[in-house]
């Protein structure tokens, strides 16, 4: 098989695995109003369907690098596809909010390697001078899943029922598994790879406790609650132990060389901000458009699809030019586009018109695409190839952490404002 053809088949197979994850990550936003009604849940409770998925992904992402080195990158990728597909079927069969949250968490845990491994496999398929092209191709492919998710999700929810947004992934998962089996190459394993158990446990406990604080804080009145105070203390202690242990142990869980790289550290700060801003509209807009503005699910899918078009268009332009542009300026330009789209939505009312949603979604996509490539390129510009899988695991860990913090924060604001508005309106009610 020609080298060029094999290179693209490997990349397409890796991107397809990422697509499987992206479809479910985004189409749940369309179904949230229906799932909220089916489970009789409040907005901050139904937010667990989003954040539990991200929390599961975040926790498992930290282990993706070690698992890939220990058991093989190809083998882990195949197991992640299979496990994610099975958990997706169980999500659609859930009969209670608690059951759905559990299986959403398992989706995140089992599907977590699909992001860092999909990107690592795609990047490694191309030579060093084409890293920007490889990153753009992976991101474009992932966005195809996002577009597919919102469009098909709207159709399935309106003409079938919400479980079908999960079950539609079964045939897709089978095809992706077959493609990965045929084309994704094996890489050398490290069977004796050391696992720093204390470091892993401290990091996982710290991240999990942080998520609980953000997700339950508003409902329990923050630090007036003993539970929140305990969870915050556990989070602080666990993360402190992780930092001190990593700095003093001979073989820490995360390679010290990663954090000695300034580009990599700056990239983590930037991708956290990116995660906190970029994914919020996918989860909050469907609730606004359906419950307040009264649009149908298919309309919502059409309104959000331009986001994917803007993302792909920006990547097709920025990716090939990345080697000749200053990544810092490109990143700032992307953030400004995100600010512009948010500003356009900030003055919306319950009578928000389709044009406003459409153009702001398109600009959001442009901002997301323009800012993603420079962060990825800059963060890994000076990272050795042997550290790339671990580096991408950390990269996606921080991205997911930013996403879940942002989603939890916005749903907390929504719950608080609903309580305040209800209190004001109750003054006008009499027997």
């Amino acid at each position: 098989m020609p080298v060029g053809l094999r290179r693209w088949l490997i990349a397409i197979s890796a991107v397809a695995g990422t697509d499987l994850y992206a479809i479910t990550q985004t189409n749940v936003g369309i179904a949230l109003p229906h799932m909220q009604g089916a489970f009789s849940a409040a907005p901050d409770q139904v937010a667990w369907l989003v954040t539990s998925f991200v929390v599961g992904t975040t926790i498992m992402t930290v282990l993706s690098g070690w698992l890939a080195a220990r058991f093989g990158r190809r083998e882990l990728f195949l197991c992640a596809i299979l496990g994610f597909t099975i958990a997706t079927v169980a999500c659609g069969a859930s009969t209670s909010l608690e059951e759905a949250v559990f299986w959403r968490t398992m989706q995140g845990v089992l599907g977590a390697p699909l992001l860092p491994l999909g990107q690592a496999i795609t990047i490694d398929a191309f030579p060093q001078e084409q890293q920007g092209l490889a990153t753009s191709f992976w991101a474009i492919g992932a966005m195809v899943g996002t577009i597919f998710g919102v469009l098909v999700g709207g159709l399935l929810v309106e003409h079938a029922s919400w479980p079908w947004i999960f079950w539609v992934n079964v045939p897709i998962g089978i095809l992706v598994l077959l493609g990965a089996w045929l084309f994704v190459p094996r890489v050398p394993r490290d069977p004796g790879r050391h696992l720093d158990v204390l470091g892993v446990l401290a990091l996982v406990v710290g991240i999990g406790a942080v998520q609980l604080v953000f997700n339950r804080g508003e409902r329990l009145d923050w630090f007036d609650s003993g539970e929140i105070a305990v969870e915050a203390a556990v989070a602080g202690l666990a993360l402190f132990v992780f930092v001190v242990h990593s700095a003093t142990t001979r073989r820490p869980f995360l390679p010290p060389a990663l954090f000695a790289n300034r580009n990599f550290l700056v990239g983590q700060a930037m991708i956290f901000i990116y995660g906190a801003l970029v994914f919020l509209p996918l989860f909050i807009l469907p609730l606004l458009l359906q419950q307040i503005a009264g649009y149908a699910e298919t309309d919502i899918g059409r309104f959000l699809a331009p986001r994917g078009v803007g993302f792909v268009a920006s990547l097709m332009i920025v990716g090939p030019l990345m080697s000749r542009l200053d990544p810092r300026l490109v990143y700032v330009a992307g953030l400004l586009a995100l600010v512009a789209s948010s500003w356009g939505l900030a003055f919306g009312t319950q009578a928000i018109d389709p044009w406003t949603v459409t153009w702001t979604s398109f600009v959001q996509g442009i901002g997301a695409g323009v800012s993603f490539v420079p962060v990825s390129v800059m963060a890994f510009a000076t990272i050795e190839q042997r550290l790339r899988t671990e580096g991408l695991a950390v990269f996606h860990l921080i991205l997911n952490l930013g996403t879940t913090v942002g989603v939890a924060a916005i749903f907390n604001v929504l719950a608080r404002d609903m309580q305040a508005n209800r209190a004001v309106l109750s003054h006008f009610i009499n027997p």
Side-chain angles (χ1 to χ4, degrees):
M1 182 183 296
V3 174
L5 176 60
R6 179 167 179 77
R7 176 180 297 157
W8 283 104
L9 288 174
I10 292 171
I12 290 171
S13 300
V15 167
T18 302
D19 267 336
L20 184 65
Y21 178 97
I23 290 170
T24 302
Q25 183 187 31
T26 54
N27 65 8
V28 167
I30 300 293
L32 277 182
H34 287 264
M35 297 178 77
Q36 181 180 351
F39 299 136
S40 300
D44 60 325
Q45 291 175 313
V46 81
W48 275 95
L49 294 170
V50 176
T51 54
S52 62
F53 178 77
V54 181
V55 168
T57 299
T58 302
I59 292 174
M60 190 59 182
T61 297
V62 303
L63 283 169
S64 295
W66 180 83
L67 289 170
R70 178 68 176 78
F71 299 104
R73 189 167 72 180
R74 178 177 183 269
E75 290 75 10
L76 179 60
F77 194 65
L78 292 171
C79 288
I81 295 170
L82 179 61
F84 185 83
T85 303
I86 293 172
T88 300
V89 174
C91 278
S94 299
T95 57
S96 67
L97 179 63
E98 293 77 15
E99 190 179 346
V101 168
F102 171 79
W103 285 113
R104 283 287 286 168
T105 305
M106 293 307 299
Q107 268 191 311
V109 169
L110 296 170
L114 295 176
L115 288 176
L117 295 190
Q119 188 174 0
I121 292 168
T122 303
I123 291 175
D124 286 348
F126 290 82
Q128 181 66 33
E129 61 272 14
Q130 294 182 312
Q131 298 298 289
L133 173 63
T135 300
S136 295
F137 178 74
W138 177 83
I140 289 172
M143 185 49 61
V144 170
T146 299
I147 299 173
F148 180 85
V150 295
L151 289 175
V152 176
L155 290 171
L156 290 173
V157 170
E158 183 169 349
H159 298 291
S161 58
W162 67 261
W164 281 99
I165 67 170
F166 297 107
W167 293 339
V168 73
N169 276 335
V170 174
I172 299 173
I174 294 172
L175 292 175
V176 172
L177 184 65
L178 179 61
W181 179 271
L182 292 174
F183 301 116
V184 172
R186 285 186 170 88
V187 295
R189 293 189 293 170
D190 183 6
R193 182 67 173 268
H194 172 72
L195 178 63
D196 178 16
V197 177
L198 178 58
V200 171
L201 288 176
L203 184 58
V204 168
V205 170
I207 291 173
V210 168
Q211 305 310 315
L212 287 172
V213 169
F214 275 96
N215 279 278
R216 292 179 60 77
E218 184 65 31
R219 175 169 287 270
L220 299 179
D221 203 17
W222 295 102
F223 291 101
D224 288 338
S225 164
E227 177 188 328
I228 297 300
V230 170
E231 288 165 354
V234 169
L237 179 61
L239 293 176
F240 176 77
V241 169
F242 173 75
V243 172
V244 173
H245 175 74
S246 297
T248 56
T249 190
R250 188 169 60 89
R251 300 171 70 182
F253 171 60
L254 296 176
L258 284 176
F259 302 98
N261 189 296
R262 187 180 67 175
N263 282 351
F264 183 79
L265 287 178
V266 173
Q268 304 321 297
M270 296 167 76
I271 202 63
F272 181 88
I273 297 171
Y274 179 93
L277 297 177
V278 165
F279 296 100
L280 288 179
L282 294 176
F283 305 121
I284 199 69
L285 273 178
L287 290 172
L288 165 69
L289 295 174
Q290 186 186 61
Q291 295 184 345
I292 305 300
Y295 288 106
E297 290 82 0
T298 50
D299 293 329
I300 297 171
R302 289 200 307 271
F303 297 160
L304 297 182
R307 173 190 173 94
V309 176
F311 190 90
V312 171
S314 63
L315 288 176
M316 292 177 67
I317 296 172
V318 171
L321 298 176
M322 201 63 242
S323 60
R324 289 177 283 178
L325 299 174
D326 186 333
R328 296 168 298 181
L329 296 179
V330 177
Y331 179 73
V332 170
L335 289 185
L336 289 176
L338 292 174
V339 170
S341 66
S342 298
W343 186 260
L345 285 171
F347 302 100
T349 67
Q350 65 180 30
I352 188 169
D353 61 284
W355 167 243
T356 299
V357 182
T358 301
W359 80 257
T360 53
S361 294
F362 180 72
V363 175
Q364 283 170 7
I366 292 176
V370 167
S371 52
F372 180 78
V373 176
V375 176
S376 300
V377 171
M378 184 178 67
F380 294 95
T382 54
I383 291 291
E384 299 177 47
Q385 185 167 354
R386 65 183 178 85
L387 298 174
R388 182 168 289 151
T389 301
E390 287 88 347
L392 282 167
V394 175
F395 185 77
H396 286 282
L397 165 67
I398 301 300
L399 171 62
N400 289 328
L401 190 60
T403 300
T404 191
V405 168
V407 170
I410 200 66
F411 274 98
N412 282 335
V413 170
L414 176 62
R416 184 191 62 197
D417 287 351
M418 287 176 64
Q419 292 172 359
N421 290 337
R422 189 176 294 114
V424 171
L425 291 174
S426 66
H427 290 298
F428 297 97
I429 300 175
N430 57 55

